[in-house]
Amino acid sequence: QVQLVESGGGLVQAGRSLRLSCTTSKRTYTTSAMSWFRQAPGKEREFVAGINWNGFTSYADSAKGRFTISNDNAKSTVYLQVSSLEPEDTAVYYCAQRASSFASSRGSDYDYWGQGTQVTVSS
């Protein structure tokens, strides 16, 4: 079955940068899209950023400016670069993949999910 594996989370100080990685076993570049979601304690899961395999990216309004999504198709990997981390960024970050070229912001549109990686930002 399809597996998505996230890495790069951990405990970091506010103001620093971090890069999350997600590698998928499913390589259907022309018909798949990848996105990052996050879920903070006591809150609903929210869309952060998405990328089509043609390179088109999209971001939640709150993520614009500090978040950058990118991919490496040769490695079947998607990245999320975050700068100027804030305590409010503390959450479990999930990557997701769908069998579509469009990176939807709707979680229910996705077919596969990773286990998530914890990001904790201290002040």
Side-chain angles (χ1 to χ4, degrees):
Q1 68 177 31
V2 175
Q3 290 185 302
L4 278 66
V5 181
E6 301 109 330
S7 63
L11 177 63
V12 298
Q13 292 182 326
R16 296 192 176 186
S17 298
L18 176 149
R19 188 179 75 163
L20 305 179
S21 300
C22 174
T23 299
T24 177
S25 64
K26 184 175 177 60
R27 299 187 297 170
T28 55
Y29 307 122
T30 60
T31 58
S32 65
M34 301 280 290
S35 291
W36 286 95
F37 292 77
R38 69 181 182 183
Q39 187 167 24
K43 296 185 177 181
E44 297 180 346
R45 185 174 299 183
E46 64 176 349
F47 172 80
V48 178
I51 186 168
N52 302 335
W53 287 107
N54 63 3
F56 179 83
T57 59
S58 59
Y59 297 90
D61 288 341
S62 61
K64 294 178 180 177
R66 297 193 300 115
F67 291 73
T68 302
I69 189 170
S70 61
N71 63 14
D72 184 339
N73 287 344
K75 298 180 179 180
S76 299
T77 299
V78 64
Y79 304 96
L80 183 68
Q81 180 76 35
V82 189
S83 63
S84 301
L85 281 161
E86 304 171 351
E88 291 74 20
D89 295 321
T90 295
V92 177
Y93 285 73
Y94 299 90
C95 65
Q97 183 176 22
R98 66 181 305 217
S100 172
S101 61
F102 176 62
S104 170
S105 62
R106 186 175 181 178
S108 60
D109 286 341
Y110 288 81
D111 303 298
Y112 311 107
W113 291 83
Q115 294 295 311
T117 184
Q118 177 71 49
V119 175
T120 302
V121 184
S122 64
S123 60

